Amino acid sequence: GVRQDPTPILHRGVWYLIYQNTDFDVVLMHSDSLTGSNWNEHPDSPLFRNSIKEIRECSIGGAEMVPSGRPIYTDAGIELFYRSHINREVYHYRITELTKNNFSQKRISDEPLFNDTGREDWNRRFIHTVNPVYPWNGTNDIVAVDGLESNRYRWSIGIYTT
């Protein structure tokens, strides 16, 4: 049932998996083993329901909200990124509670982390995945971002520092 962008998270000995399913919704599963077959859908799943109509009208396909990068573990919580194909933006979220029975996340800012304005040609059409380069310490970190050029189907990598 995984359509795209599986994001595994190990938290307090339990594996969690956030991904877009074949119905285009973003779901949350959990298991005691990453490689086992005993995955259960979380009671707070789906995390996002995506509109099939909007997805079909979007020139780059996908969905309104999709996982978009490697999680970052901090003292404040687990930092995640989600991208909007329709708005071509990437947002920063923070998981503040994660157990087999409870899930809570919040958007860090109403402003997108990356959006269409002010981009260069290498990422003008689309930004896809945000990947921090470890070790992550919160200052002067390196982040790799892949982008799609404006007039071709060619991906490039942008390197940013925090």
Side-chain angles (χ1 to χ4, degrees):
V2 177
R3 181 176 178 275
Q4 68 178 0
D5 299 314
T7 304
I9 298 168
L10 178 60
H11 183 64
R12 297 184 176 153
V14 177
W15 282 98
Y16 297 89
L17 185 64
I18 299 173
Y19 62 91
Q20 185 186 63
N21 68 13
T22 54
D23 292 328
F24 297 94
D25 292 330
V26 176
V27 297
L28 173 62
M29 305 289 285
H30 63 83
S31 176
D32 292 328
S33 170
L34 178 63
T35 57
S37 60
N38 189 22
W39 286 88
N40 297 295
E41 187 161 359
H42 195 279
D44 292 325
S45 181
L47 305 180
F48 297 102
R49 289 198 180 273
N50 289 303
S51 163
I52 299 296
K53 179 182 181 292
E54 287 181 349
I55 290 166
R56 288 192 176 128
E57 292 174 358
C58 182
S59 65
I60 55 177
E64 172 57 13
M65 293 301 275
V66 181
S68 188
R70 188 181 313 163
I72 302 170
Y73 297 82
T74 70
D75 291 339
I78 302 169
E79 313 296 318
L80 287 177
F81 306 98
Y82 292 94
R83 73 181 174 280
S84 165
H85 285 214
I86 294 166
N87 297 322
R88 299 182 185 171
E89 299 170 335
V90 175
Y91 291 94
H92 177 196
Y93 279 73
R94 178 175 296 138
I95 296 174
T96 55
E97 183 177 13
L98 182 58
T99 69
K100 288 183 180 181
N101 296 310
N102 295 305
F103 176 85
S104 179
Q105 71 178 355
K106 63 180 180 178
R107 187 185 288 188
I108 297 303
S109 171
D110 288 335
E111 296 297 316
L113 191 61
F114 297 100
N115 61 26
D116 269 346
T117 60
R119 289 206 228 145
E120 300 172 35
D121 187 57
W122 72 269
N123 66 355
R124 187 160 320 278
R125 185 170 173 209
F126 189 60
I127 287 179
H128 183 261
T129 304
V130 177
N131 277 309
V133 178
Y134 286 96
W136 185 266
N137 66 15
T139 57
N140 299 318
D141 294 304
I142 298 171
V143 178
V145 179
D146 63 338
L148 188 59
E149 289 186 9
S150 60
N151 60 359
R152 290 182 273 201
Y153 198 77
R154 187 166 84 180
W155 292 92
S156 299
I157 304 294
I159 303 296
Y160 292 87
T161 57
T162 62

